mmCIF file of all heavy atoms in Angstrom:
data_model
loop_
_atom_site.group_PDB
_atom_site.id
_atom_site.type_symbol
_atom_site.label_atom_id
_atom_site.label_comp_id
_atom_site.label_asym_id
_atom_site.label_seq_id
_atom_site.Cartn_x
_atom_site.Cartn_y
_atom_site.Cartn_z
ATOM 1 N N ALA M 305 13.999 21.497 3.069
ATOM 2 C CA ALA M 305 12.824 20.713 3.592
ATOM 3 C C ALA M 305 11.703 20.768 2.559
ATOM 4 O O ALA M 305 11.737 21.592 1.620
ATOM 5 C CB ALA M 305 12.356 21.365 4.896
ATOM 6 N N PHE M 306 10.792 19.765 2.678
ATOM 7 C CA PHE M 306 9.733 19.680 1.620
ATOM 8 C C PHE M 306 8.869 20.878 1.661
ATOM 9 O O PHE M 306 8.156 21.134 0.658
ATOM 10 C CB PHE M 306 8.914 18.421 1.920
ATOM 11 C CG PHE M 306 7.866 18.651 2.955
ATOM 12 C CD1 PHE M 306 6.522 18.841 2.560
ATOM 13 C CD2 PHE M 306 8.152 18.611 4.296
ATOM 14 C CE1 PHE M 306 5.507 19.022 3.481
ATOM 15 C CE2 PHE M 306 7.157 18.816 5.269
ATOM 16 C CZ PHE M 306 5.848 19.087 4.891
ATOM 17 N N LYS M 307 8.884 21.694 2.718
ATOM 18 C CA LYS M 307 8.039 22.876 2.728
ATOM 19 C C LYS M 307 8.384 23.895 1.670
ATOM 20 O O LYS M 307 7.611 24.786 1.338
ATOM 21 C CB LYS M 307 8.096 23.580 4.123
ATOM 22 C CG LYS M 307 7.454 22.731 5.213
ATOM 23 C CD LYS M 307 7.366 23.410 6.542
ATOM 24 C CE LYS M 307 6.502 22.672 7.512
ATOM 25 N NZ LYS M 307 7.159 21.474 8.102
ATOM 26 N N ASP M 338 11.089 24.852 10.549
ATOM 27 C CA ASP M 338 11.151 24.660 9.128
ATOM 28 C C ASP M 338 10.266 25.608 8.246
ATOM 29 O O ASP M 338 10.686 25.966 7.159
ATOM 30 C CB ASP M 338 10.794 23.205 8.739
ATOM 31 C CG ASP M 338 11.986 22.264 8.871
ATOM 32 O OD1 ASP M 338 13.107 22.783 8.963
ATOM 33 O OD2 ASP M 338 11.780 21.072 8.718
ATOM 34 N N GLN M 424 2.173 20.253 -3.396
ATOM 35 C CA GLN M 424 2.636 19.036 -2.757
ATOM 36 C C GLN M 424 2.057 17.758 -3.417
ATOM 37 O O GLN M 424 2.538 16.648 -3.204
ATOM 38 C CB GLN M 424 2.330 19.099 -1.286
ATOM 39 C CG GLN M 424 3.008 20.134 -0.532
ATOM 40 C CD GLN M 424 2.794 20.122 0.942
ATOM 41 O OE1 GLN M 424 3.473 19.393 1.684
ATOM 42 N NE2 GLN M 424 1.898 20.903 1.406
ATOM 43 N N PRO M 448 5.660 11.183 7.007
ATOM 44 C CA PRO M 448 5.828 11.714 8.358
ATOM 45 C C PRO M 448 4.910 12.864 8.598
ATOM 46 O O PRO M 448 4.960 13.837 7.802
ATOM 47 C CB PRO M 448 7.310 12.164 8.377
ATOM 48 C CG PRO M 448 7.720 12.308 6.969
ATOM 49 C CD PRO M 448 6.783 11.453 6.147
ATOM 50 N N SER M 449 4.030 12.834 9.538
ATOM 51 C CA SER M 449 2.911 13.766 9.649
ATOM 52 C C SER M 449 2.895 14.548 10.925
ATOM 53 O O SER M 449 3.075 13.949 12.048
ATOM 54 C CB SER M 449 1.618 12.999 9.414
ATOM 55 O OG SER M 449 1.594 12.456 8.105
ATOM 56 N N GLY M 450 2.612 15.895 10.840
ATOM 57 C CA GLY M 450 2.475 16.698 11.973
ATOM 58 C C GLY M 450 1.130 17.433 11.891
ATOM 59 O O GLY M 450 0.120 17.146 12.503
ATOM 60 N N ASN M 451 1.090 18.409 11.005
ATOM 61 C CA ASN M 451 -0.160 19.153 10.652
ATOM 62 C C ASN M 451 -1.007 18.421 9.591
ATOM 63 O O ASN M 451 -2.060 18.886 9.258
ATOM 64 C CB ASN M 451 0.197 20.535 10.259
ATOM 65 C CG ASN M 451 -0.354 21.549 11.158
ATOM 66 O OD1 ASN M 451 -1.337 21.334 11.883
ATOM 67 N ND2 ASN M 451 0.287 22.695 11.270
ATOM 68 N N PHE M 452 -0.505 17.366 9.023
ATOM 69 C CA PHE M 452 -1.160 16.547 8.080
ATOM 70 C C PHE M 452 -1.464 17.205 6.760
ATOM 71 O O PHE M 452 -2.338 16.827 6.006
ATOM 72 C CB PHE M 452 -2.489 15.881 8.677
ATOM 73 C CG PHE M 452 -2.176 14.699 9.601
ATOM 74 C CD1 PHE M 452 -1.519 14.897 10.795
ATOM 75 C CD2 PHE M 452 -2.512 13.441 9.197
ATOM 76 C CE1 PHE M 452 -1.205 13.809 11.656
ATOM 77 C CE2 PHE M 452 -2.190 12.294 10.020
ATOM 78 C CZ PHE M 452 -1.532 12.493 11.209
ATOM 79 N N GLY M 453 -0.574 18.209 6.406
ATOM 80 C CA GLY M 453 -0.757 18.810 5.095
ATOM 81 C C GLY M 453 -0.123 17.952 4.036
ATOM 82 O O GLY M 453 -0.730 17.735 2.948
ATOM 83 N N ASN M 454 1.027 17.413 4.295
ATOM 84 C CA ASN M 454 1.720 16.537 3.324
ATOM 85 C C ASN M 454 0.845 15.368 2.929
ATOM 86 O O ASN M 454 0.709 15.077 1.752
ATOM 87 C CB ASN M 454 3.057 16.096 3.966
ATOM 88 C CG ASN M 454 4.089 15.642 2.901
ATOM 89 O OD1 ASN M 454 3.750 15.542 1.734
ATOM 90 N ND2 ASN M 454 5.286 15.422 3.359
ATOM 91 N N ILE M 455 0.336 14.651 3.904
ATOM 92 C CA ILE M 455 -0.494 13.485 3.553
ATOM 93 C C ILE M 455 -1.816 13.859 2.993
ATOM 94 O O ILE M 455 -2.354 13.180 2.063
ATOM 95 C CB ILE M 455 -0.677 12.531 4.793
ATOM 96 C CG1 ILE M 455 -1.199 11.203 4.325
ATOM 97 C CG2 ILE M 455 -1.526 13.145 5.881
ATOM 98 C CD1 ILE M 455 -1.095 10.053 5.367
ATOM 99 N N ALA M 502 9.312 19.164 14.052
ATOM 100 C CA ALA M 502 8.403 19.778 13.036
ATOM 101 C C ALA M 502 7.072 19.047 13.013
ATOM 102 O O ALA M 502 6.098 19.412 12.275
ATOM 103 C CB ALA M 502 9.024 19.781 11.641
ATOM 104 N N MET M 503 6.991 17.950 13.695
ATOM 105 C CA MET M 503 5.659 17.205 13.843
ATOM 106 C C MET M 503 5.158 17.246 15.216
ATOM 107 O O MET M 503 4.266 16.421 15.552
ATOM 108 C CB MET M 503 5.909 15.715 13.388
ATOM 109 C CG MET M 503 6.522 15.679 12.031
ATOM 110 S SD MET M 503 6.812 14.079 11.242
ATOM 111 C CE MET M 503 6.669 12.889 12.457
ATOM 112 N N CYS M 555 16.732 12.106 8.656
ATOM 113 C CA CYS M 555 16.447 13.055 9.746
ATOM 114 C C CYS M 555 15.377 12.308 10.574
ATOM 115 O O CYS M 555 14.740 11.389 10.200
ATOM 116 C CB CYS M 555 15.938 14.415 9.203
ATOM 117 S SG CYS M 555 14.096 14.445 8.819
ATOM 118 N N HIS M 557 12.276 12.944 11.382
ATOM 119 C CA HIS M 557 10.991 12.865 10.816
ATOM 120 C C HIS M 557 10.944 11.735 9.758
ATOM 121 O O HIS M 557 10.003 10.924 9.740
ATOM 122 C CB HIS M 557 10.619 14.184 10.113
ATOM 123 C CG HIS M 557 10.893 15.376 10.983
ATOM 124 N ND1 HIS M 557 12.191 15.873 11.171
ATOM 125 C CD2 HIS M 557 10.051 16.141 11.752
ATOM 126 C CE1 HIS M 557 12.105 16.877 11.987
ATOM 127 N NE2 HIS M 557 10.870 17.110 12.370
ATOM 128 N N THR M 583 11.473 14.322 4.524
ATOM 129 C CA THR M 583 10.950 15.645 4.517
ATOM 130 C C THR M 583 12.019 16.748 4.723
ATOM 131 O O THR M 583 11.778 17.900 4.529
ATOM 132 C CB THR M 583 9.785 15.808 5.536
ATOM 133 O OG1 THR M 583 10.196 15.189 6.738
ATOM 134 C CG2 THR M 583 8.537 15.195 5.054
ATOM 135 N N ALA M 584 13.148 16.328 5.300
ATOM 136 C CA ALA M 584 14.196 17.377 5.511
ATOM 137 C C ALA M 584 15.567 16.737 5.502
ATOM 138 O O ALA M 584 15.773 15.559 5.696
ATOM 139 C CB ALA M 584 14.029 18.027 6.955
ATOM 140 N N PHE M 589 18.895 18.978 11.689
ATOM 141 C CA PHE M 589 18.593 18.430 12.986
ATOM 142 C C PHE M 589 19.854 17.736 13.562
ATOM 143 O O PHE M 589 19.730 16.702 14.255
ATOM 144 C CB PHE M 589 17.430 17.433 12.911
ATOM 145 C CG PHE M 589 16.173 18.084 12.329
ATOM 146 C CD1 PHE M 589 15.920 18.021 11.002
ATOM 147 C CD2 PHE M 589 15.423 18.835 13.148
ATOM 148 C CE1 PHE M 589 14.829 18.652 10.440
ATOM 149 C CE2 PHE M 589 14.268 19.479 12.619
ATOM 150 C CZ PHE M 589 14.019 19.427 11.221
HETATM 151 C C1 PLP C 101 6.561 20.292 8.522
HETATM 152 C C2 PLP C 101 7.300 19.056 8.563
HETATM 153 C C3 PLP C 101 6.646 17.810 8.720
HETATM 154 C C4 PLP C 101 5.134 17.680 8.919
HETATM 155 O O1 PLP C 101 4.487 17.952 7.763
HETATM 156 P P1 PLP C 101 2.868 18.193 7.817
HETATM 157 O O2 PLP C 101 2.467 18.576 6.474
HETATM 158 O O3 PLP C 101 2.686 19.254 8.879
HETATM 159 O O4 PLP C 101 2.271 16.878 8.300
HETATM 160 C C5 PLP C 101 7.465 16.655 8.674
HETATM 161 N N1 PLP C 101 8.829 16.816 8.554
HETATM 162 C C6 PLP C 101 9.422 17.961 8.410
HETATM 163 C C7 PLP C 101 10.948 17.946 8.326
HETATM 164 C C8 PLP C 101 8.740 19.196 8.411
HETATM 165 O O5 PLP C 101 9.368 20.342 8.318
#
Side-chain angles (χ1 to χ4, degrees):
F306 83 101
K307 290 188 171 75
D338 272 352
Q424 296 186 81
S449 298
N451 245 330
F452 281 69
N454 200 353
I455 194 166
M503 304 182 346
C555 88
H557 313 76
T583 44
F589 303 95

